[in-house]
């Protein structure tokens, strides 16, 4: 195990060790925005692999591996958040976990498993991590940010033995070591406090909020909107009615005092405008419902405007509609 | 200002922003071993510039800049620890500070000023930092590691305005942010505790220990040994009698239960075997004297062995002597 400055440094260290400029990283589309930043800093290319409600689609992974190989590029690893994915909220099923691992093994592709949310399951235990199924080909990254406090900046990597020392040396060159003060606080917390009970409390709070969000979406969203139903974690991924652009709609949403993250941030290629990430972890249920009510209002207005401008042949609306239509996401159907 | 995970991340961020593989970094010889690790990770080449008792030699800096330019390579910045240098213990004089800045300005060379020890002056105040003389061409790096606690891992960069945002973005991709918990502890300490008084205490303790080390060296070291006389900081740089090799001597020193850092670690090119860094910050005066006594004993033995083997034409002694003789350091005379 290598202790890191949160999950972010864990990712950065793995990228630093493995990636050369021009290398390809396979990753779910959409994926964690901070991972895209790391891969971009390493001058790697991200090839997105689509998901559905059961997580990463194995056939699509095989296809992506083949396409990268055909193009003469070198895929170094699959970066995946198999459990309560950020931002999609979906979880790779038991059966698919084995298939994804087999595919990667056959292709000689390392797996970087990012698991910040695995402890935050609402409906029974999450499937066991990929790392627990294959020790050698999988890097397992996690953090105390979602289960203790993000401000501690303490995470870890479980790495195959052969590269552990390289990760330590890379970390020393970068930061010497993570704050010993923060590490000591977490060690004391884990050894003296009922942290398993605390996790249960988080799970109950977040489950209640997820339920509130899903109920409000079902009651209030305009026709044509769809969304994922997470079994844990912090996020719901919503797909907007045809033609709506989450990024363009953002200023009006903020004016209505409701916020989300537009889908575009979660793709390396600028697609995703037809989606948004909704985070249910912080507001209590009644505020979640109020937020969805306001968001639905903004979307209704937007749809009405589109209709008016569409009838008038309005340029702005067409352009905006076009931008969303031009960007078919490789992501969730 | 950009807050960092200690001085190490400060250095790494500057390297990440400015260095491409093959770039040249000018640095004092000897210099901080952790900086060499950062530059190596960035695949940059380090060109050492010699110092004398007054710090970096301006004429040698001009010469190094000219040689790098002649060789068609690109020097990106001068990395310097002008005050109580690690490992040399010397301080760039007032007069030389202006000259070094002028030289860099003329050559269009950025200056990365690493100042972890500036607050630890023993004989009056240290000269003002380079950054206080030229705001635009100088990055100033410092840390609370030597004045509060290294385990906090909190440092900072004062950067020219134009690149501050780039440093923040690079830091976010790397670690998101330094531990907020550690930052809060330091902020509370600085705003509620008499930290200036604490600095005075450190200065007194370290001055006493420096004095003990210099006195012991003068009393006990074999003829032919020389050393620097630091006006602050933590280190004395010793130059061994002709033919002694600090790295080869290390196992015998450890057997005698006295430790130092061989000079080779502080040069990018493997030279420095004729030198050692002595750190006087931790042991109390009586143990410092005992340490020097033991170290002198190891050196006397080594010299005696060399004489015997030398008289016998011994291969090992010649080889060892040769290694030191083959490695004329660009460093302190």
């Amino acid at each position: 195990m290598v202790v890191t400055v949160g999950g972010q440094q864990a990712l950065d260290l793995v990228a630093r060790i493995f990636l050369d400029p021009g290398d390809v990283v396979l990753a779910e589309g959409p994926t964690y925005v901070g991972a895209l930043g790391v891969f971009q800093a390493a001058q790697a290319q991200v090839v997105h692999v689509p998901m559905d409600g059961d997580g990463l689609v194995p056939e699509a992974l095989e296809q992506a591996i083949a396409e990268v190989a055909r193009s003469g590029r070198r895929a170094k690893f699959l970066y995946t958040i198999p459990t309560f994915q950020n931002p999609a909220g979906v979880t790779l099923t038991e059966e698919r976990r084995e298939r994804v691992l087999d595919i990667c093994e056959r292709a000689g592709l390392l797996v970087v498993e990012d698991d910040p949310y695995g402890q935050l399951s609402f409906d029974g235990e999450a499937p066991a991590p990929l790392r627990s199924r294959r020790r050698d080909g999988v890097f397992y990254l996690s953090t105390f940010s979602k289960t203790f406090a993000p401000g501690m900046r303490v995470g870890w990597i479980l790495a195959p033995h052969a590269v552990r020392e390289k990760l330590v040396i890379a970390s020393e060159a970068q930061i010497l070591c993570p704050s010993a003060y923060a590490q000591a606080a977490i060690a004391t917390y884990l050894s003296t406090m009922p942290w398993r009970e605390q996790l249960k409390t988080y799970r109950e709070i977040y489950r209640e909020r997820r339920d509130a969000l899903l109920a409000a979406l079902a009651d209030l969203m305009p026709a044509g909107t769809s969304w994922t139903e997470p079994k844990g974690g912090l996020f719901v991924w919503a797909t907007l009615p045809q033609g709506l652009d989450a990024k363009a709609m953002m200023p009006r949403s903020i004016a209505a005092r409701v916020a989300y993250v537009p889908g575009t941030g979660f793709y390396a290629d600028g697609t995703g405008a037809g989606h948004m990430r909704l985070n249910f972890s912080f507001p209590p249920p009644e505020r979640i419902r109020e937020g969805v009510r306001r968001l639905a209002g903004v979307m209704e207005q937007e749809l009405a405007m589109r209709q008016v401008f569409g009838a008038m042949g309005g340029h702005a609306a067409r352009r905006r509609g076009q931008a969303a239509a031009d960007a078919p996401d490789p992501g969730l159907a």
Side-chain angles (χ1 to χ4, degrees), chain A:
Chain A
M1 180 181 295
V2 180
V3 179
T4 60
V5 181
Q8 190 70 30
Q9 196 211 3
L11 246 174
D12 190 64
L13 288 176
V14 170
R16 216 178 243 220
I17 296 237
F18 284 105
L19 296 182
D20 293 309
D23 280 346
V24 167
V25 173
L26 299 171
E28 286 128 2
T31 191
Y32 171 50
V33 59
L36 293 175
V38 165
F39 302 148
Q40 191 184 12
Q43 299 175 51
Q45 297 170 9
V46 174
V47 171
H48 287 297
V49 183
M51 290 172 281
D52 60 22
D54 289 338
L56 194 69
V57 179
E59 293 74 19
L61 174 61
E62 279 184 311
Q63 198 181 325
I65 291 172
E67 271 168 26
V68 169
R70 259 200 306 277
S71 72
R73 292 174 296 171
R74 189 170 175 191
K76 283 285 178 73
F77 55 76
L78 167 67
Y79 169 72
T80 176
I81 312 166
T83 309
F84 317 137
Q85 208 256 2
N86 178 6
V90 299
T91 296
L92 194 66
T93 58
E94 285 282 353
E95 183 260 338
R96 281 196 183 172
R97 285 182 188 231
E98 288 300 326
R99 284 175 63 199
V100 163
L101 285 166
D102 285 344
I103 291 166
C104 290
E105 206 164 60
R106 271 201 307 275
L109 202 65
L110 286 172
V111 175
V112 177
E113 177 180 27
D114 197 1
D115 187 27
Y117 317 106
Q119 299 291 327
L120 301 174
S121 57
F122 308 149
D123 311 317
E125 287 300 308
L130 302 176
R131 161 80 182 181
S132 68
R133 297 156 201 262
R134 302 279 197 292
R135 292 182 67 83
D136 272 350
V138 182
F139 289 74
Y140 178 89
L141 281 46
S142 194
T143 172
F144 291 102
S145 293
K146 309 303 184 291
T147 54
F148 184 66
M152 305 306 281
R153 310 304 308 130
V154 177
W156 69 92
I157 311 176
L158 294 178
H161 186 76
V163 291
R164 214 174 300 153
E165 192 58 30
K166 291 196 197 317
L167 290 168
V168 170
I169 289 168
S171 182
E172 283 179 0
Q174 197 172 77
I175 55 143
L176 285 186
C177 70
S179 170
Y181 182 62
Q183 289 185 68
I186 287 179
T188 304
Y189 171 72
L190 292 176
S191 59
T192 64
M193 303 288 281
W195 60 271
R196 284 187 180 82
E197 292 307 306
Q198 184 58 45
L199 278 180
K200 273 187 207 160
T201 306
Y202 288 146
R203 284 187 203 122
E204 282 157 25
I205 291 171
Y206 292 154
R207 178 172 45 224
E208 193 188 10
R209 292 176 181 182
R210 180 222 31 200
D211 291 346
L213 177 55
L214 294 180
L217 290 169
D219 293 348
L220 300 168
M221 275 288 132
T225 316
S226 61
W227 52 88
T228 58
E229 304 204 340
K231 291 181 162 31
L234 314 172
F235 311 112
V236 163
W237 180 249
T239 302
L240 303 181
Q242 184 67 27
L244 285 195
D245 181 324
K247 203 168 175 182
M249 212 172 69
M250 193 76 189
R252 272 180 295 280
S253 291
I254 288 171
R257 302 180 67 79
V258 58
Y260 55 82
V261 185
T264 41
F266 304 100
Y267 291 91
D269 54 10
T271 59
H275 302 274
M276 54 173 60
R277 190 187 74 175
L278 303 172
N279 183 331
F280 53 81
S281 66
F282 183 67
E286 60 280 9
R287 287 189 62 81
I288 287 176
R289 192 170 185 89
E290 173 61 20
V292 172
R293 199 189 58 76
R294 294 185 189 190
L295 183 57
V298 170
M299 286 165 66
E300 301 279 12
Q301 274 187 335
E302 192 82 6
L303 286 165
M305 269 199 298
R306 276 184 53 76
Q307 221 163 15
V308 173
F309 282 105
M312 290 166 58
H315 177 69
R318 241 188 315 164
R319 200 183 46 197
R320 200 153 55 227
Q322 204 57 45
D326 283 352
D329 306 325
L332 281 81

